[in-house]
Amino acid sequence: MIRRNARRGRGQGRVPVILLSFCLLLFSGGESSANLAVEGTVGPGEPRAAVRYVLPITPPLDQGDSDLCWVYATLSMLETNYLARHPLSRISLSRGALQLDSIADRFARLIRGERSPLEDGGLVVEALALIHQDGLVARGDFHHIVDSDPIYASVKRGLTRYKGRTAKLRALDRELEARLGRKPQVTHLDGDALSPGELAEAVLGGHEWTEFDRSHDGFDGWGPSRDPDARPDTLVRYVGLERMIDLIHRSLAHGRAVAAGSADHEFLIYGGDYDKDGRPISYLIKDSLAPHLYRAEADKIHRMLYDVTVAQ
């Protein structure tokens, strides 16, 4: 089933890509430098790279027909950043557990009287807020993502039997546990047992993240997100395209990946080639839709760039 073309969903407006032909693309964290600056090899007519950044990545995972690209991009970013700090780690984070947290958050907001569409779309900064609140779970400690449409429908019907906010919130916990299970109280990272909160603390590394959205009217500053999938309280920073390009470069140079998005899809930038003047030539992309790993011309990414989320 192909869903609607959600802002953070199937990504029907995907940029054309140049397939990445070399297979040393770092399926394990220990084989790549966080900042690999080397002379680049290029095709005929392409400018020669003066600096190349290639951050380690975990194996790509497919989002299927879900609208969870924002969840996949967020966790891929955190996995890459952790691998850059801990090259021998075997980190792999559960997309299904974060989906459960998002579903619970949407219903709780609805019960409290907020606007909360019952669907899987969202923003990277919202995923990070959920992680701060609810922690992280290793991929091996929880089930994979599920088709959320039947979950939303059945839980919504179940809640109609209860009156009052407190009763509905208690019923919500029972309904979600019956349909999705309960997140474990103990999870794991490289053989160590941790609580979800401890795992989140280790992975977040003390960083805070900001989403920078592209300003098309010259406005530069904080404001509510214009994304239709955004929670009502989500704030983003509006900047021009050149600032976004610079933020990508600075983040890669500091060994941190970037969650980036078009108008309808979110993906990970984990590397790039830059010329002698510091201008980007191409980016390395990890995606939750096929083709999962590719090299894209920088100008093509810039033309469709809607947002970037970077660690401060």
mmCIF file of all heavy atoms in Angstrom, residues 195-238:
data_model
loop_
_atom_site.group_PDB
_atom_site.id
_atom_site.type_symbol
_atom_site.label_atom_id
_atom_site.label_comp_id
_atom_site.label_asym_id
_atom_site.label_seq_id
_atom_site.Cartn_x
_atom_site.Cartn_y
_atom_site.Cartn_z
ATOM 1 N N SER A 195 19.188 1.183 31.094
ATOM 2 C CA SER A 195 17.790 1.589 30.980
ATOM 3 C C SER A 195 17.639 2.375 29.685
ATOM 4 O O SER A 195 18.626 2.900 29.137
ATOM 5 C CB SER A 195 17.399 2.457 32.168
ATOM 6 O OG SER A 195 18.041 3.721 32.088
ATOM 7 N N PRO A 196 16.420 2.503 29.159
ATOM 8 C CA PRO A 196 16.225 3.345 27.970
ATOM 9 C C PRO A 196 16.722 4.775 28.167
ATOM 10 O O PRO A 196 17.270 5.368 27.236
ATOM 11 C CB PRO A 196 14.711 3.284 27.756
ATOM 12 C CG PRO A 196 14.313 1.946 28.287
ATOM 13 C CD PRO A 196 15.181 1.750 29.490
ATOM 14 N N GLY A 197 16.550 5.304 29.360
ATOM 15 C CA GLY A 197 17.048 6.647 29.630
ATOM 16 C C GLY A 197 18.564 6.721 29.585
ATOM 17 O O GLY A 197 19.138 7.690 29.071
ATOM 18 N N GLU A 198 19.228 5.706 30.132
ATOM 19 C CA GLU A 198 20.695 5.682 30.103
ATOM 20 C C GLU A 198 21.217 5.519 28.686
ATOM 21 O O GLU A 198 22.236 6.117 28.312
ATOM 22 C CB GLU A 198 21.199 4.562 30.999
ATOM 23 C CG GLU A 198 20.990 4.819 32.490
ATOM 24 C CD GLU A 198 21.266 3.596 33.349
ATOM 25 O OE1 GLU A 198 21.183 2.451 32.821
ATOM 26 O OE2 GLU A 198 21.564 3.773 34.546
ATOM 27 N N LEU A 199 20.523 4.696 27.891
ATOM 28 C CA LEU A 199 20.938 4.539 26.495
ATOM 29 C C LEU A 199 20.791 5.863 25.752
ATOM 30 O O LEU A 199 21.683 6.265 24.989
ATOM 31 C CB LEU A 199 20.115 3.448 25.813
ATOM 32 C CG LEU A 199 20.400 3.224 24.327
ATOM 33 C CD1 LEU A 199 21.867 2.889 24.091
ATOM 34 C CD2 LEU A 199 19.511 2.119 23.764
ATOM 35 N N ALA A 200 19.686 6.560 25.978
ATOM 36 C CA ALA A 200 19.489 7.853 25.327
ATOM 37 C C ALA A 200 20.577 8.842 25.735
ATOM 38 O O ALA A 200 21.123 9.569 24.900
ATOM 39 C CB ALA A 200 18.113 8.404 25.679
ATOM 40 N N GLU A 201 20.914 8.867 27.007
ATOM 41 C CA GLU A 201 21.956 9.779 27.490
ATOM 42 C C GLU A 201 23.298 9.486 26.834
ATOM 43 O O GLU A 201 24.024 10.395 26.426
ATOM 44 C CB GLU A 201 22.066 9.672 29.009
ATOM 45 C CG GLU A 201 23.071 10.648 29.620
ATOM 46 C CD GLU A 201 23.114 10.552 31.135
ATOM 47 O OE1 GLU A 201 22.328 9.770 31.708
ATOM 48 O OE2 GLU A 201 23.940 11.263 31.735
ATOM 49 N N ALA A 202 23.620 8.191 26.700
ATOM 50 C CA ALA A 202 24.891 7.809 26.082
ATOM 51 C C ALA A 202 24.927 8.199 24.609
ATOM 52 O O ALA A 202 25.943 8.686 24.099
ATOM 53 C CB ALA A 202 25.110 6.307 26.245
ATOM 54 N N VAL A 203 23.820 7.985 23.924
ATOM 55 C CA VAL A 203 23.781 8.230 22.485
ATOM 56 C C VAL A 203 23.697 9.724 22.170
ATOM 57 O O VAL A 203 24.350 10.209 21.246
ATOM 58 C CB VAL A 203 22.592 7.473 21.854
ATOM 59 C CG1 VAL A 203 22.392 7.888 20.406
ATOM 60 C CG2 VAL A 203 22.833 5.963 21.940
ATOM 61 N N LEU A 204 22.912 10.458 22.937
ATOM 62 C CA LEU A 204 22.774 11.893 22.681
ATOM 63 C C LEU A 204 24.076 12.639 22.952
ATOM 64 O O LEU A 204 24.335 13.685 22.350
ATOM 65 C CB LEU A 204 21.650 12.473 23.525
ATOM 66 C CG LEU A 204 20.242 11.983 23.172
ATOM 67 C CD1 LEU A 204 19.237 12.469 24.209
ATOM 68 C CD2 LEU A 204 19.828 12.448 21.793
ATOM 69 N N GLY A 205 24.884 12.142 23.862
ATOM 70 C CA GLY A 205 26.204 12.707 24.077
ATOM 71 C C GLY A 205 26.221 14.128 24.575
ATOM 72 O O GLY A 205 27.202 14.860 24.376
ATOM 73 N N GLY A 206 25.151 14.564 25.228
ATOM 74 C CA GLY A 206 25.126 15.914 25.769
ATOM 75 C C GLY A 206 24.787 16.995 24.757
ATOM 76 O O GLY A 206 24.771 18.182 25.100
ATOM 77 N N HIS A 207 24.518 16.622 23.507
ATOM 78 C CA HIS A 207 24.219 17.611 22.477
ATOM 79 C C HIS A 207 22.742 18.014 22.508
ATOM 80 O O HIS A 207 21.885 17.272 22.963
ATOM 81 C CB HIS A 207 24.549 17.057 21.091
ATOM 82 C CG HIS A 207 26.009 16.828 20.862
ATOM 83 N ND1 HIS A 207 26.931 17.848 20.859
ATOM 84 C CD2 HIS A 207 26.722 15.696 20.628
ATOM 85 C CE1 HIS A 207 28.138 17.365 20.638
ATOM 86 N NE2 HIS A 207 28.035 16.053 20.500
ATOM 87 N N GLU A 208 22.479 19.202 22.003
ATOM 88 C CA GLU A 208 21.128 19.664 21.719
ATOM 89 C C GLU A 208 21.043 19.936 20.222
ATOM 90 O O GLU A 208 22.028 20.325 19.592
ATOM 91 C CB GLU A 208 20.806 20.929 22.516
ATOM 92 C CG GLU A 208 20.784 20.729 24.017
ATOM 93 C CD GLU A 208 19.627 19.848 24.479
ATOM 94 O OE1 GLU A 208 18.625 19.767 23.745
ATOM 95 O OE2 GLU A 208 19.735 19.264 25.576
ATOM 96 N N TRP A 209 19.855 19.740 19.665
ATOM 97 C CA TRP A 209 19.674 19.875 18.224
ATOM 98 C C TRP A 209 18.722 21.008 17.885
ATOM 99 O O TRP A 209 17.786 21.291 18.629
ATOM 100 C CB TRP A 209 19.127 18.580 17.627
ATOM 101 C CG TRP A 209 20.175 17.537 17.390
ATOM 102 C CD1 TRP A 209 20.810 17.249 16.208
ATOM 103 C CD2 TRP A 209 20.733 16.635 18.350
ATOM 104 N NE1 TRP A 209 21.717 16.224 16.383
ATOM 105 C CE2 TRP A 209 21.682 15.837 17.682
ATOM 106 C CE3 TRP A 209 20.496 16.431 19.712
ATOM 107 C CZ2 TRP A 209 22.397 14.839 18.337
ATOM 108 C CZ3 TRP A 209 21.214 15.448 20.368
ATOM 109 C CH2 TRP A 209 22.162 14.661 19.680
ATOM 110 N N THR A 210 18.977 21.622 16.735
ATOM 111 C CA THR A 210 18.101 22.660 16.206
ATOM 112 C C THR A 210 17.726 22.311 14.777
ATOM 113 O O THR A 210 18.581 21.884 13.993
ATOM 114 C CB THR A 210 18.796 24.036 16.223
ATOM 115 O OG1 THR A 210 19.141 24.379 17.565
ATOM 116 C CG2 THR A 210 17.888 25.119 15.638
ATOM 117 N N GLU A 211 16.440 22.497 14.451
ATOM 118 C CA GLU A 211 16.026 22.376 13.055
ATOM 119 C C GLU A 211 16.058 23.752 12.421
ATOM 120 O O GLU A 211 15.453 24.697 12.927
ATOM 121 C CB GLU A 211 14.628 21.779 12.927
ATOM 122 C CG GLU A 211 14.161 21.715 11.466
ATOM 123 C CD GLU A 211 12.816 21.076 11.265
ATOM 124 O OE1 GLU A 211 12.535 20.052 11.924
ATOM 125 O OE2 GLU A 211 12.029 21.599 10.430
ATOM 126 N N PHE A 212 16.770 23.850 11.301
ATOM 127 C CA PHE A 212 16.839 25.076 10.520
ATOM 128 C C PHE A 212 16.025 24.866 9.255
ATOM 129 O O PHE A 212 16.342 24.006 8.440
ATOM 130 C CB PHE A 212 18.290 25.414 10.168
ATOM 131 C CG PHE A 212 19.142 25.766 11.355
ATOM 132 C CD1 PHE A 212 19.768 24.775 12.107
ATOM 133 C CD2 PHE A 212 19.322 27.090 11.725
ATOM 134 C CE1 PHE A 212 20.554 25.094 13.206
ATOM 135 C CE2 PHE A 212 20.113 27.428 12.816
ATOM 136 C CZ PHE A 212 20.730 26.424 13.559
ATOM 137 N N ASP A 213 14.976 25.643 9.093
ATOM 138 C CA ASP A 213 14.124 25.562 7.905
ATOM 139 C C ASP A 213 14.465 26.690 6.942
ATOM 140 O O ASP A 213 14.808 27.805 7.365
ATOM 141 C CB ASP A 213 12.653 25.650 8.293
ATOM 142 C CG ASP A 213 12.131 24.325 8.842
ATOM 143 O OD1 ASP A 213 12.956 23.473 9.238
ATOM 144 O OD2 ASP A 213 10.906 24.154 8.880
ATOM 145 N N ARG A 214 14.326 26.395 5.679
ATOM 146 C CA ARG A 214 14.663 27.369 4.652
ATOM 147 C C ARG A 214 13.632 28.488 4.614
ATOM 148 O O ARG A 214 12.430 28.238 4.536
ATOM 149 C CB ARG A 214 14.737 26.682 3.295
ATOM 150 C CG ARG A 214 15.239 27.548 2.164
ATOM 151 C CD ARG A 214 15.494 26.678 0.965
ATOM 152 N NE ARG A 214 15.967 27.419 -0.181
ATOM 153 C CZ ARG A 214 16.375 26.850 -1.316
ATOM 154 N NH1 ARG A 214 16.349 25.525 -1.413
ATOM 155 N NH2 ARG A 214 16.802 27.576 -2.324
ATOM 156 N N SER A 215 14.119 29.710 4.682
ATOM 157 C CA SER A 215 13.246 30.882 4.630
ATOM 158 C C SER A 215 13.116 31.335 3.185
ATOM 159 O O SER A 215 14.113 31.583 2.509
ATOM 160 C CB SER A 215 13.824 32.015 5.483
ATOM 161 O OG SER A 215 13.056 33.185 5.332
ATOM 162 N N HIS A 216 11.879 31.441 2.714
ATOM 163 C CA HIS A 216 11.637 31.876 1.339
ATOM 164 C C HIS A 216 11.160 33.330 1.268
ATOM 165 O O HIS A 216 10.904 33.841 0.180
ATOM 166 C CB HIS A 216 10.604 30.962 0.677
ATOM 167 C CG HIS A 216 11.092 29.558 0.481
ATOM 168 N ND1 HIS A 216 11.957 29.193 -0.537
ATOM 169 C CD2 HIS A 216 10.858 28.426 1.187
ATOM 170 C CE1 HIS A 216 12.215 27.904 -0.462
ATOM 171 N NE2 HIS A 216 11.567 27.411 0.579
ATOM 172 N N ASP A 217 11.040 33.969 2.419
ATOM 173 C CA ASP A 217 10.545 35.356 2.429
ATOM 174 C C ASP A 217 11.515 36.316 3.101
ATOM 175 O O ASP A 217 11.157 37.450 3.421
ATOM 176 C CB ASP A 217 9.192 35.427 3.126
ATOM 177 C CG ASP A 217 9.222 34.870 4.550
ATOM 178 O OD1 ASP A 217 10.323 34.548 5.036
ATOM 179 O OD2 ASP A 217 8.142 34.755 5.167
ATOM 180 N N GLY A 218 12.749 35.851 3.338
ATOM 181 C CA GLY A 218 13.752 36.714 3.942
ATOM 182 C C GLY A 218 13.743 36.743 5.449
ATOM 183 O O GLY A 218 14.629 37.338 6.069
ATOM 184 N N PHE A 219 12.754 36.095 6.075
ATOM 185 C CA PHE A 219 12.693 36.078 7.536
ATOM 186 C C PHE A 219 13.830 35.239 8.094
ATOM 187 O O PHE A 219 14.108 34.144 7.623
ATOM 188 C CB PHE A 219 11.352 35.511 7.989
ATOM 189 C CG PHE A 219 11.259 35.316 9.484
ATOM 190 C CD1 PHE A 219 11.188 36.402 10.338
ATOM 191 C CD2 PHE A 219 11.259 34.033 10.028
ATOM 192 C CE1 PHE A 219 11.122 36.226 11.714
ATOM 193 C CE2 PHE A 219 11.182 33.848 11.401
ATOM 194 C CZ PHE A 219 11.112 34.945 12.245
ATOM 195 N N ASP A 220 14.499 35.756 9.119
ATOM 196 C CA ASP A 220 15.587 35.047 9.793
ATOM 197 C C ASP A 220 15.299 35.083 11.286
ATOM 198 O O ASP A 220 15.379 36.133 11.914
ATOM 199 C CB ASP A 220 16.927 35.716 9.491
ATOM 200 C CG ASP A 220 18.113 34.894 9.981
ATOM 201 O OD1 ASP A 220 18.011 34.277 11.060
ATOM 202 O OD2 ASP A 220 19.147 34.860 9.297
ATOM 203 N N GLY A 221 14.934 33.931 11.850
ATOM 204 C CA GLY A 221 14.641 33.884 13.272
ATOM 205 C C GLY A 221 13.783 32.686 13.617
ATOM 206 O O GLY A 221 13.460 31.851 12.774
ATOM 207 N N TRP A 222 13.410 32.613 14.889
ATOM 208 C CA TRP A 222 12.612 31.491 15.381
ATOM 209 C C TRP A 222 11.141 31.697 15.050
ATOM 210 O O TRP A 222 10.646 32.812 15.037
ATOM 211 C CB TRP A 222 12.782 31.352 16.885
ATOM 212 C CG TRP A 222 14.135 30.878 17.292
ATOM 213 C CD1 TRP A 222 15.216 31.638 17.610
ATOM 214 C CD2 TRP A 222 14.544 29.516 17.409
ATOM 215 N NE1 TRP A 222 16.289 30.838 17.914
ATOM 216 C CE2 TRP A 222 15.906 29.529 17.806
ATOM 217 C CE3 TRP A 222 13.907 28.291 17.220
ATOM 218 C CZ2 TRP A 222 16.636 28.359 18.010
ATOM 219 C CZ3 TRP A 222 14.629 27.116 17.434
ATOM 220 C CH2 TRP A 222 15.971 27.170 17.819
ATOM 221 N N GLY A 223 10.476 30.568 14.826
ATOM 222 C CA GLY A 223 9.049 30.627 14.582
ATOM 223 C C GLY A 223 8.449 29.237 14.600
ATOM 224 O O GLY A 223 9.168 28.229 14.602
ATOM 225 N N PRO A 224 7.124 29.139 14.628
ATOM 226 C CA PRO A 224 6.483 27.826 14.580
ATOM 227 C C PRO A 224 6.746 27.150 13.238
ATOM 228 O O PRO A 224 6.845 27.816 12.207
ATOM 229 C CB PRO A 224 4.998 28.152 14.772
ATOM 230 C CG PRO A 224 4.853 29.573 14.336
ATOM 231 C CD PRO A 224 6.154 30.237 14.678
ATOM 232 N N SER A 225 6.852 25.833 13.273
ATOM 233 C CA SER A 225 7.067 25.099 12.033
ATOM 234 C C SER A 225 5.857 25.241 11.121
ATOM 235 O O SER A 225 4.713 25.196 11.560
ATOM 236 C CB SER A 225 7.316 23.619 12.334
ATOM 237 O OG SER A 225 7.373 22.872 11.125
ATOM 238 N N ARG A 226 6.118 25.386 9.831
ATOM 239 C CA ARG A 226 5.047 25.443 8.835
ATOM 240 C C ARG A 226 4.714 24.069 8.279
ATOM 241 O O ARG A 226 3.871 23.940 7.392
ATOM 242 C CB ARG A 226 5.465 26.377 7.696
ATOM 243 C CG ARG A 226 5.699 27.819 8.149
ATOM 244 C CD ARG A 226 6.408 28.630 7.090
ATOM 245 N NE ARG A 226 6.732 29.975 7.592
ATOM 246 C CZ ARG A 226 7.614 30.786 7.007
ATOM 247 N NH1 ARG A 226 8.243 30.392 5.919
ATOM 248 N NH2 ARG A 226 7.852 31.981 7.523
ATOM 249 N N ASP A 227 5.396 23.062 8.785
ATOM 250 C CA ASP A 227 5.175 21.697 8.342
ATOM 251 C C ASP A 227 3.809 21.216 8.819
ATOM 252 O O ASP A 227 3.505 21.309 10.014
ATOM 253 C CB ASP A 227 6.282 20.803 8.910
ATOM 254 C CG ASP A 227 6.293 19.421 8.308
ATOM 255 O OD1 ASP A 227 5.212 18.813 8.214
ATOM 256 O OD2 ASP A 227 7.378 18.936 7.948
ATOM 257 N N PRO A 228 2.970 20.703 7.934
ATOM 258 C CA PRO A 228 1.646 20.240 8.375
ATOM 259 C C PRO A 228 1.692 19.073 9.347
ATOM 260 O O PRO A 228 0.713 18.819 10.055
ATOM 261 C CB PRO A 228 0.957 19.847 7.058
ATOM 262 C CG PRO A 228 2.064 19.626 6.089
ATOM 263 C CD PRO A 228 3.147 20.563 6.477
ATOM 264 N N ASP A 229 2.809 18.338 9.403
ATOM 265 C CA ASP A 229 2.942 17.227 10.333
ATOM 266 C C ASP A 229 3.472 17.646 11.696
ATOM 267 O O ASP A 229 3.579 16.825 12.602
ATOM 268 C CB ASP A 229 3.880 16.162 9.755
ATOM 269 C CG ASP A 229 3.236 15.384 8.622
ATOM 270 O OD1 ASP A 229 2.001 15.264 8.621
ATOM 271 O OD2 ASP A 229 3.964 14.904 7.732
ATOM 272 N N ALA A 230 3.840 18.925 11.862
ATOM 273 C CA ALA A 230 4.473 19.379 13.097
ATOM 274 C C ALA A 230 3.483 19.435 14.247
ATOM 275 O O ALA A 230 2.301 19.740 14.070
ATOM 276 C CB ALA A 230 5.099 20.750 12.888
ATOM 277 N N ARG A 231 3.977 19.139 15.473
ATOM 278 C CA ARG A 231 3.177 19.363 16.671
ATOM 279 C C ARG A 231 2.998 20.865 16.851
ATOM 280 O O ARG A 231 3.841 21.660 16.428
ATOM 281 C CB ARG A 231 3.880 18.783 17.892
ATOM 282 C CG ARG A 231 3.627 17.323 18.165
ATOM 283 C CD ARG A 231 4.227 16.378 17.167
ATOM 284 N NE ARG A 231 4.274 15.012 17.693
ATOM 285 C CZ ARG A 231 4.609 13.960 16.968
ATOM 286 N NH1 ARG A 231 4.912 14.096 15.687
ATOM 287 N NH2 ARG A 231 4.643 12.749 17.518
ATOM 288 N N PRO A 232 1.920 21.292 17.509
ATOM 289 C CA PRO A 232 1.648 22.736 17.635
ATOM 290 C C PRO A 232 2.754 23.510 18.349
ATOM 291 O O PRO A 232 2.920 24.708 18.100
ATOM 292 C CB PRO A 232 0.332 22.779 18.432
ATOM 293 C CG PRO A 232 -0.314 21.460 18.175
ATOM 294 C CD PRO A 232 0.818 20.478 18.051
ATOM 295 N N ASP A 233 3.497 22.858 19.237
ATOM 296 C CA ASP A 233 4.498 23.574 20.018
ATOM 297 C C ASP A 233 5.901 23.496 19.429
ATOM 298 O O ASP A 233 6.863 23.932 20.059
ATOM 299 C CB ASP A 233 4.518 23.032 21.452
ATOM 300 C CG ASP A 233 4.720 21.516 21.498
ATOM 301 O OD1 ASP A 233 4.604 20.861 20.452
ATOM 302 O OD2 ASP A 233 4.976 20.984 22.605
ATOM 303 N N THR A 234 6.045 22.956 18.229
ATOM 304 C CA THR A 234 7.366 22.807 17.625
ATOM 305 C C THR A 234 7.843 24.119 17.033
ATOM 306 O O THR A 234 7.162 24.723 16.200
ATOM 307 C CB THR A 234 7.340 21.736 16.519
ATOM 308 O OG1 THR A 234 6.998 20.475 17.104
ATOM 309 C CG2 THR A 234 8.705 21.614 15.861
ATOM 310 N N LEU A 235 9.023 24.566 17.467
ATOM 311 C CA LEU A 235 9.653 25.775 16.951
ATOM 312 C C LEU A 235 10.880 25.403 16.131
ATOM 313 O O LEU A 235 11.609 24.459 16.466
ATOM 314 C CB LEU A 235 10.059 26.709 18.088
ATOM 315 C CG LEU A 235 8.943 27.299 18.937
ATOM 316 C CD1 LEU A 235 9.542 28.123 20.070
ATOM 317 C CD2 LEU A 235 8.006 28.152 18.088
ATOM 318 N N VAL A 236 11.123 26.161 15.054
ATOM 319 C CA VAL A 236 12.292 25.959 14.215
ATOM 320 C C VAL A 236 12.934 27.309 13.960
ATOM 321 O O VAL A 236 12.332 28.360 14.186
ATOM 322 C CB VAL A 236 11.921 25.277 12.882
ATOM 323 C CG1 VAL A 236 11.297 23.905 13.129
ATOM 324 C CG2 VAL A 236 10.983 26.148 12.054
ATOM 325 N N ARG A 237 14.171 27.271 13.472
ATOM 326 C CA ARG A 237 14.883 28.503 13.131
ATOM 327 C C ARG A 237 14.872 28.661 11.607
ATOM 328 O O ARG A 237 15.295 27.760 10.888
ATOM 329 C CB ARG A 237 16.320 28.445 13.645
ATOM 330 C CG ARG A 237 17.172 29.653 13.294
ATOM 331 C CD ARG A 237 16.759 30.885 14.059
ATOM 332 N NE ARG A 237 17.469 32.065 13.611
ATOM 333 C CZ ARG A 237 18.635 32.487 14.123
ATOM 334 N NH1 ARG A 237 19.188 31.785 15.094
ATOM 335 N NH2 ARG A 237 19.215 33.566 13.672
ATOM 336 N N TYR A 238 14.388 29.792 11.131
ATOM 337 C CA TYR A 238 14.335 30.054 9.697
ATOM 338 C C TYR A 238 15.595 30.807 9.266
ATOM 339 O O TYR A 238 15.978 31.815 9.876
ATOM 340 C CB TYR A 238 13.083 30.856 9.351
ATOM 341 C CG TYR A 238 11.821 30.033 9.461
ATOM 342 C CD1 TYR A 238 11.065 30.046 10.630
ATOM 343 C CD2 TYR A 238 11.416 29.215 8.417
ATOM 344 C CE1 TYR A 238 9.922 29.264 10.749
ATOM 345 C CE2 TYR A 238 10.274 28.433 8.527
ATOM 346 C CZ TYR A 238 9.537 28.466 9.701
ATOM 347 O OH TYR A 238 8.412 27.675 9.825
#
